[in-house]
């Protein structure tokens, strides 16, 4: 992630400066001398030019044949958020949301190109759908021992407020102040015992005490995403199953071939080895 985030910072600047190569117009003026567009371009070319130029070439070539929708970008960003958490938020703060979305789009373009020739069976697609679990939202009250857990459960059964008891009893500092709310999560985000118990509950239902390595949890499911039909999810399923079979070497090989077929010619001699040109 760090690699493409670093490239993302300068994509738009690199493209702008490339258009002004050889221009002596100042982009910065100081009492000690100016910084020209030519100097600015050459410095960026030296530091990140090859990586960024390759990204720009790939985007230009691939976008002619493959399309990426805003919905697909949104879905991929959700995956990145779940995987990187606060690192993603920091990247957005540093680079801006548009830059991040552009880089996600480029990754999806490369992926779509690479999976084009991968075959999947109906059995694989059905298996993915059958195992797919939509996200749920839940709250919990975490206590250290079973005795306290049973005490809290008894109070809930008498009608006491879940959020109030979470603030009073829960040992989870990250959720206790929010009434035990854990937000939305999907499979693999919680320990197995917790996840198994949570997914068995209906909306509004409260679990018996669930033991994990963290202690004893009282879980309440507050919302659930509705699982779409197979037909509604089919395009997404095909993409995910194919992507699961993809390796970086295959991706690079396919993208390289498409770029080669596009007859790309790099005019700047300092950057010609980006594509192996001499």
């Amino acid at each position: 992630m760090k690699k493409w985030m670093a490239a993302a910072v300068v994509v738009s600047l690199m493209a702008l400066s490339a258009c002004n190569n050889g221009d002596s117009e100042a982009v910065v003026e100081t009492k000690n001398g100016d910084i020209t567009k030519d100097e600015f371009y050459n410095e960026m070319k030296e530091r990140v030019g090859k990586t960024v130029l390759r990204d720009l070439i790939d985007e230009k070539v691939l976008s002619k044949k493959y399309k990426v929708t805003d919905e697909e970008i949104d879905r991929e960003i959700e995956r990145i958020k779940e995987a990187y958490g606060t690192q993603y938020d920091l990247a957005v703060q540093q680079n801006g949301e548009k830059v991040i979305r552009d880089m996600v789009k480029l990754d999806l373009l490369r992926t779509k190109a690479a999976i084009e020739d991968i075959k999947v069976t109906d059995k694989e697609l059905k298996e993915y759908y059958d195992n797919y679990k939509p996200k749920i939202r839940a709250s919990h009250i975490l206590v250290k021992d079973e005795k306290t857990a049973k005490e809290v459960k008894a109070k809930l059964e008498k009608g006491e407020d879940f959020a109030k008891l979470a603030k009073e009893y829960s040992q989870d500092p990250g959720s206790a102040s929010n009434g035990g709310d854990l937000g939305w999560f999907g499979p693999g985000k919680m320990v197995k015992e917790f996840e198994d118990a949570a997914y068995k509950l209906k909306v509004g239902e409260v679990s018996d005490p669930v033991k994990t390595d963290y202690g004893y949890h009282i879980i309440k499911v507050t919302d659930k995403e509705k699982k779409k039909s197979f037909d509604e999810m089919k395009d997404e399923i095909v993409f995910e199953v194919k992507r699961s079979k993809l390796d970086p070497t295959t991706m690079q090989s396919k993208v390289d071939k498409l770029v080669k077929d596009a007859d790309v010619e790099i005019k700047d001699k300092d950057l010609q080895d980006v594509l192996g040109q001499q």
Side-chain angles (χ1 to χ4, degrees), residues 49-266:
K50 293 179 181 179
T51 299
V52 175
L53 182 60
R54 181 59 199 253
D55 285 349
L56 290 169
I57 291 171
D58 287 358
E59 195 281 332
K60 182 69 70 174
V61 172
L62 298 178
S63 61
K64 292 295 182 181
K65 184 175 182 181
Y66 308 97
K67 302 300 177 185
V68 173
T69 66
D70 287 339
E71 181 181 358
E72 289 171 326
I73 295 173
D74 291 340
R75 187 161 59 239
E76 190 66 14
I77 284 177
E78 285 302 312
R79 287 167 53 94
I80 295 171
K81 285 181 180 178
E82 290 180 6
Y84 292 96
T86 56
Q87 291 184 48
Y88 172 82
D89 295 332
L90 180 61
V92 172
Q93 291 175 14
Q94 292 176 337
N95 306 316
E97 185 176 0
K98 183 182 183 303
V99 171
I100 304 303
R101 291 182 69 86
D102 287 346
M103 295 308 298
V104 169
K105 178 182 178 181
L106 177 56
D107 281 349
L108 288 172
L109 284 170
R110 287 169 172 157
T111 301
K112 286 193 172 189
I115 66 174
E116 188 175 40
D117 302 322
I118 294 177
K119 306 297 182 184
V120 293
T121 65
D122 290 340
K123 180 180 179 181
E124 288 174 319
L125 300 181
K126 186 177 186 304
E127 183 178 348
Y128 180 96
Y129 179 77
D130 291 342
N131 292 329
Y132 173 80
K133 294 179 180 178
K135 290 182 180 180
I136 63 175
R137 185 168 188 169
S139 298
H140 80 146
I141 301 172
L142 173 64
V143 296
K144 293 181 179 180
D145 58 84
E146 187 176 14
K147 180 182 177 181
T148 305
K150 289 181 176 179
E151 179 184 334
V152 172
K153 176 67 174 179
K155 289 188 175 187
L156 289 168
E157 289 176 342
K158 291 179 181 179
E160 292 197 35
D161 183 66
F162 190 99
K164 181 180 178 182
L165 291 174
K167 292 177 181 178
E168 181 181 350
Y169 282 93
S170 185
Q171 301 297 303
D172 177 10
S175 67
S177 61
N178 295 323
D181 182 32
L182 294 167
W184 290 91
F185 59 88
K189 300 306 174 184
M190 303 293 179
V191 294
K192 186 178 186 305
E193 299 90 346
F194 187 102
E195 179 183 312
D196 290 347
Y199 268 96
K200 290 177 182 177
L201 298 173
K202 298 177 181 178
V203 174
E205 192 174 2
V206 177
S207 74
D208 290 325
V210 177
K211 187 178 185 303
T212 72
D213 290 340
Y214 297 99
Y216 290 81
H217 308 256
I218 307 294
I219 307 167
K220 179 179 181 180
V221 170
T222 56
D223 205 353
K224 281 187 176 184
E225 286 184 350
K226 182 180 178 181
K227 187 173 182 177
K228 298 177 182 178
S229 69
F230 178 84
D231 288 339
E232 289 176 307
M233 291 185 63
K234 187 171 183 181
D235 289 344
E236 178 184 345
I237 293 171
V238 170
F239 179 82
E240 293 300 339
V241 173
K242 285 188 174 186
R243 176 155 65 174
S244 70
K245 298 183 176 187
L246 184 62
D247 63 82
T249 302
T250 301
M251 176 185 287
Q252 191 63 55
S253 177
K254 180 61 181 288
V255 174
D256 286 346
K257 182 180 183 305
L258 291 170
V259 170
K260 182 179 180 180
D261 292 344
D263 293 328
V264 176
E265 182 182 357
I266 298 174

